[in-house]
Amino acid sequence: MTRQQLIEQIRQKQSFLCVGLDTDPKKLPACVVDLYDPIFEFNKAIIDATAPYCVAYKPNLAFYEAYGIKGMKAFIKTCNYLKRHHPHHLIIADAKRGDIGNTSKMYARTFFEEYDLDALTVAPYMGEDSVTPFLEYEGKWVVLLALTSNKGSEDFQVYPKGGDQEKLFERVLRVSQQWGTPDNMMYVVGATQGRMFENVRRIVPDHFLLVPGVGAQGGSLEEVCRYGMNNDCGLLVNSSRGIIYASNDDHFAEVAGNKARELQQQMAEELARRGL
């Protein structure tokens, strides 16, 4: 999916919602537990209920790899289902890959050729040669970790603390622009970072930001939009647990759809406020 296609989907749906498919078999409703492929059947129901209100899905690989071959088969079936039945949704593999060049080439081949997904989260710690293999695929996106929502982000990402020295996340943003462009690179910036979005936007005014942390982690959608939205929206706000685990009864998919619609309506208001 190209940048312009993503922008068009956001405007058409008045939504910049990404639904995280962090599917844990231990949390599945009883009505799907005994099905032949409960992970896939749960995902399918969630997808069909939320698709009208979102523009992207983000399956987290950890939740599939933890169950071996069975989990990975469910992941592949989920992605194939999305591509067949909801082809206008961006699919982001949340795998946080990144290694020496030859290894990164294999990771890139896995997700962009074998699975044919739209985007992949990538860790920047090993530098340029660990990231550029992912940028060789036309129409695919690298989603580079920059300023995450977890508490441990303070250990390295905002170092050095205090003063006017450049923070590590700021260096990641600045240097990585030499590798990719707003057409093939996004950045992960956690919703819990608040006004730090201002710092991010000073360095990368045009790039899309993938924003986890709204909902279960306590991030504010209004604050994210106030400091992080640009003239093209420039945001993909992810919600996982707050949507997919909103209910544990037979109506889980319907409730998930309602939660997604609530977020979409809030997003529509934020877009309208900025004339988008």
Side-chain angles (χ1 to χ4, degrees):
M1 177 180 288
T2 67
R3 175 187 173 88
Q4 190 55 43
Q5 288 170 333
L6 178 57
I7 292 170
E8 288 172 1
Q9 284 298 302
I10 290 170
R11 289 175 176 166
Q12 179 181 324
K13 289 190 170 181
Q14 286 293 286
S15 172
F16 43 97
L17 176 61
C18 175
V19 175
L21 298 174
D22 300 2
T23 308
D24 184 349
K26 295 181 180 179
K27 296 182 179 179
L28 296 183
C31 59
V32 300
V33 167
D34 293 328
L35 298 178
Y36 173 73
D37 191 344
I39 297 175
F40 170 69
E41 293 297 339
F42 176 82
N43 285 351
K44 178 177 176 294
I46 292 290
I47 289 166
D48 289 341
T50 59
Y53 313 112
C54 69
V55 297
Y57 288 94
K58 183 175 69 66
N60 186 323
L61 266 291
F63 288 84
Y64 302 89
E65 292 172 337
Y67 292 90
I69 296 299
K70 182 184 293 186
M72 287 307 297
K73 284 182 177 179
F75 166 77
I76 294 168
K77 286 174 66 176
T78 296
C79 294
N80 288 340
Y81 183 81
L82 278 167
K83 286 185 282 186
R84 284 196 307 270
H85 297 277
H86 302 282
H88 299 300
H89 287 72
L90 188 78
I91 307 175
I92 304 169
D94 191 358
K96 300 179 180 67
R97 297 300 196 254
D99 208 323
I100 61 171
N102 285 338
T103 307
S104 283
K105 283 182 180 291
M106 293 298 103
Y107 283 139
R109 183 180 298 176
T110 299
F111 290 98
F112 292 153
E113 292 186 33
E114 180 65 23
Y115 298 151
D116 191 25
L117 305 184
D118 298 301
L120 176 69
T121 56
V122 175
Y125 189 75
M126 293 182 68
E128 179 180 8
D129 59 322
S130 72
V131 176
T132 51
F134 299 102
L135 293 165
E136 295 173 358
Y137 290 82
E138 187 175 352
K140 306 297 186 181
W141 294 85
V142 166
V143 188
L144 206 65
L145 302 179
L147 184 60
T148 56
S149 56
N150 60 305
K151 183 179 178 182
S153 66
E154 297 181 5
D155 292 340
F156 301 117
Q157 295 168 23
V158 297
Y159 183 84
K161 297 183 179 180
D164 296 325
Q165 291 178 281
E166 184 178 56
K167 313 296 185 189
L168 178 58
F169 83 88
E170 293 172 330
R171 180 170 177 80
V172 168
L173 293 170
R174 181 172 56 81
V175 173
S176 63
Q177 289 181 82
Q178 302 170 30
W179 313 336
T181 72
D183 293 322
N184 65 3
M185 182 177 285
M186 305 184 192
Y187 295 97
V188 175
V189 181
T192 55
Q193 297 295 345
R195 294 198 64 166
M196 295 285 274
F197 276 84
E198 289 183 315
N199 301 56
V200 172
R201 280 303 185 204
R202 275 195 288 270
I203 304 170
V204 289
D206 300 322
H207 289 70
F208 264 87
L209 307 179
L210 175 63
V211 184
V214 167
Q217 295 184 52
S220 164
L221 178 64
E222 187 276 332
E223 198 170 54
V224 167
C225 294
R226 187 194 317 165
Y227 300 120
M229 190 174 283
N230 63 20
N231 291 335
D232 293 321
C233 178
L235 298 171
L236 288 176
V237 171
N238 183 80
S239 179
S240 301
R241 288 171 286 171
I243 290 177
I244 68 174
Y245 299 136
S247 172
N248 198 41
D249 62 21
D250 291 358
H251 303 286
F252 72 93
E254 179 183 351
V255 175
N258 291 338
K259 290 292 183 181
R261 184 174 67 246
E262 290 173 11
L263 270 174
Q264 181 271 322
Q265 290 171 346
Q266 295 173 35
M267 290 175 176
E269 292 174 2
E270 296 291 345
L271 290 168
R273 190 171 291 126
R274 291 160 180 82
L276 298 173

